[in-house]
Amino acid sequence: MRETEQDKSQGAGAAADTAVDQLSVAQAQAELVRLAGALAAANRAYHTEDAPDISDAAYDALKRRNAEIEKRFPELKRPDSPSEQVGAAVSDGFGKVRHAVRMLSLENAFDDEEVTEFDQRIRRFLGLSDGAPLGYTAEPKIDGLSLSLRYESGRLVQAATRGDGEVGENVTANALTIADIPQTLAGAPEILEVRGEVYMSHADFAALNARQEAAGGKTFANPRNAAAGSLRQLDPEITRDRPLRFFAYAWGELSEPLATAQMGAIKRLSQLGFQTNPLTVRLDCTADLIRHYEDIEARRATLGYDIDGVVYKVDDLRLQERLGFRSTTPRWAIAHKFPAELAWTVLEAIDIQVGRTGALSPVARLRPITVGGVVVSNATLHNEDYIAGRDSNGALIREGRDIRVGDWVQVYRAGDVIPKIKDVDFARRSAESKPYIFPQHCPECGSVALREPGDAIHRCTGGLICPAQAVEKLKHFVSRGAFDIEGLGAKQIEMFFADDLLPIREPADIFTLAARDQANLAKLSNRDGFGERSAKKLFAAIEERRRIPLSKLLFALGIRHLGETGSAIIATHYETWPAFEAAMTAAQIGDGAEWDDLTGIDGVGAVMAASLVTTMQQEAERASIDRLVAQLDVQESRRVVADDSPVAGKTIVFTGTLEKMSRAEAKARAEALGAKVAGSVSAKTDLVVAGPGAGSKAKKAVDLGIETIDEDGWLALIGGA
Ligand code: IVH
């Protein structure tokens, strides 16, 4: 469980009552800003600091709302989109381990309908009819922390936490102290990575806390924290003293398959000596999955350890392989989560935060309140209308009850929505309370905050002169996924931004800061928190980032509507900065070859394209970008693919009906083999795969003399790949 309180930036703890399909673009965008901030803070607290500040349910709700908004407004997906991230960066102290196979997260479902949708999505992807047999496993979702155990020749050689999914912490010495983790295996594949959950039972947790308290040590808020804190001890002898347990439920690298089905693989793991969850079953339809979920939910309190849902996985491993992965989650699994709760508290203040794009976000400061074991102290109030009790179309929310400072408000956390202020208790409203008046000026720079017609969000018009916007942009620039400069985080950015002697006001300043000489070193060394050594260290960290992949640079620029995924797509398409820059400089919105080329990229919509062109052609903005790029060595972006892929680097267009696999599967396969999949045919297309009913695209391919093959030809081409 994540507990204690919501972080300051958790504004997003509460969102509008507005259903996603009723959000205006501006509302959606503002909400995504808050969600990214809230989720990043929650991730840090949970993964890096082992001190969760919101509940799992609250976290899931945030992530889910984010995913829903991104789904409806793909062009608004943020550079730091939380949906592209698993967990948080590893903390210092342990060695780092790059996972041979990425450790993934799970998509969540919060009601029966979403489970049905999951099943239907899979059927569509695989081209299975509704009645075709499709088996699943169902097992409890253990509330602990995941661990990957690597065995070579039957010997445990490495244990690693998930970390950010790619790189985790080496906790081998600690894992060796856990009784449930076999140190040697008989009859195992030569290479076997077993994955599962480290957890602590309720009884052991209570006993540990009692022991800790008696010894005057730190007590833990819940079993998950206790398990995480115990596993990530630098001294393995402390871990040995802690009653940790382990359930195996998945695997990473394997030298040979464990079985042909999930259920068989779990049995094999059990035979090899691992604990597997006894409530794991194989079922044939979603109705049975839901019955099993209800059964497990009813037994939840008696299990003796924390679970927070039920995980469903496609049983047939060949189908799992065909289904593959999205960026951070498998298509073949979902976590059906248990619902969360409601609580009343006092709204003590309303603060306004100014984001990178100038959006003014009202944040409710709440008297801290426990909601199902979770302390919540902030919630987003979304926008002026939301506070007033209206949605973006003027319809009433909370039956029109407005929200005022001093009110008793109900903090609402349910599965399918972000925690939000569900209601206001008018009976407890003070006679002196006054309606909240939304500021008409930016609290940071004093510029007029404009609310454009049709937009629910007030935006600061200060642009580059607004320090809040500039600082937020810089914070984004140095964030993880962007330049990620060690020693230059949000706190340091604020310090340097405010500094007169050695200021950082735009990204280029970071690199001129390090470019030099003793003079700057001396200036920095005299600063609070900086000695000569740490100053040198910072300069070295900055130097290290001068060489940067194109995709990261694009992402770091914080261009509106350009997320991490979008940046990667754009980078792969243009490959070099000069090519990108030339295209953006020449492009005209809505017209011409460059525009067609840009919007022809699969995954690039008109909104993202227009934002790119506008930014790159805006004089002041462009000058600042040019100053930055002059400082950098921008690396080409090329896909890393297997050398033997026949379609690596090729641009492919699928058109017409595919009969042997769905379009989604064809696209996923092509991309996995290093091809680019485009939405329209142009001179840059290398290959068109045309099924029956192919129309204008196939014709255009003929006109342009582009090789065109049918589905069988395509399957033959990629062969056993
Ligand atoms: S399967 C590729 N099964 O939940 C799929 N995960 O929210 C890998 N978890 O990171 C995960 N119980 O730490 C799986 N029975 C279970 C699980 C489980 C708990 C955790 C795991 C994962 C997280 C995703």
Side-chain angles (χ1 to χ4, degrees), residues 79-328:
D80 54 352
S81 167
S83 51
E84 299 301 321
Q85 292 156 19
V86 188
V90 298
S91 64
D92 290 331
F94 289 100
K96 291 180 182 172
V97 172
R98 181 163 288 280
H99 298 297
V101 175
R102 265 197 330 144
M103 288 186 81
L104 295 163
S105 181
L106 289 170
E107 187 195 349
N108 292 321
F110 294 96
D111 55 32
D112 299 356
E113 202 181 308
E114 291 185 353
V115 176
T116 309
E117 281 167 14
F118 163 70
D119 174 67
Q120 285 171 348
R121 235 178 4 251
I122 288 178
R123 288 176 185 277
R124 267 199 310 277
F125 191 97
L126 296 172
L128 294 177
S129 67
D130 276 352
L134 179 58
Y136 291 97
T137 58
E139 67 201 276
K141 183 169 188 304
I142 316 298
D143 198 7
L145 70 156
S146 48
L147 186 68
S148 185
L149 303 170
R150 187 176 174 90
Y151 292 84
E152 288 175 4
S153 312
R155 243 173 35 84
L156 178 63
V157 293
Q158 189 171 71
T161 62
R162 179 170 72 173
D164 65 2
E166 308 243 356
V167 175
E169 290 165 338
N170 186 339
V171 291
T172 314
N174 300 7
L176 286 167
T177 70
I178 299 175
D180 280 353
I181 296 179
Q183 300 192 7
T184 56
L185 303 175
E190 180 60 25
I191 294 174
L192 167 63
E193 282 183 6
V194 175
R195 291 176 174 177
E197 203 83 353
V198 173
Y199 68 101
M200 199 177 279
S201 75
H202 290 157
D204 287 341
F205 165 70
L208 171 65
N209 262 359
R211 221 167 68 194
Q212 292 285 106
E213 200 164 340
K218 173 183 167 187
T219 58
F220 296 96
N222 56 43
R224 199 218 85 93
N225 277 9
S230 302
L231 182 68
R232 297 163 75 202
Q233 286 289 335
L234 288 170
D235 177 0
E237 289 315 308
I238 299 182
T239 309
R240 190 186 300 282
D241 260 4
R242 304 279 172 85
L244 292 175
R245 297 167 189 241
F246 180 78
F247 274 130
Y249 52 65
W251 52 91
E253 191 179 351
L254 293 175
S255 54
E256 60 188 86
L258 288 172
T260 57
Q262 179 77 28
M263 201 63 197
I266 297 301
K267 286 214 176 91
R268 179 90 196 277
L269 290 175
S270 162
Q271 285 157 2
L272 284 168
F274 292 93
Q275 300 299 320
T276 57
N277 194 286
L279 297 174
T280 309
V281 296
R282 186 192 180 284
L283 298 165
D284 283 319
C285 63
T286 50
D288 287 352
L289 294 179
I290 289 161
R291 263 193 292 279
H292 191 62
Y293 168 89
E294 285 164 357
D295 178 40
I296 290 183
E297 189 177 18
R299 295 162 66 171
R300 185 178 180 187
T302 65
L303 295 179
Y305 50 86
D306 278 350
I307 63 171
D308 56 350
V310 178
V311 183
Y312 309 137
K313 298 171 185 168
V314 168
D315 189 38
D316 184 331
L317 296 183
R318 273 171 322 192
L319 296 184
Q320 283 193 9
E321 194 172 329
R322 278 181 60 194
L323 285 157
F325 306 93
R326 302 178 206 89
S327 54
T328 61

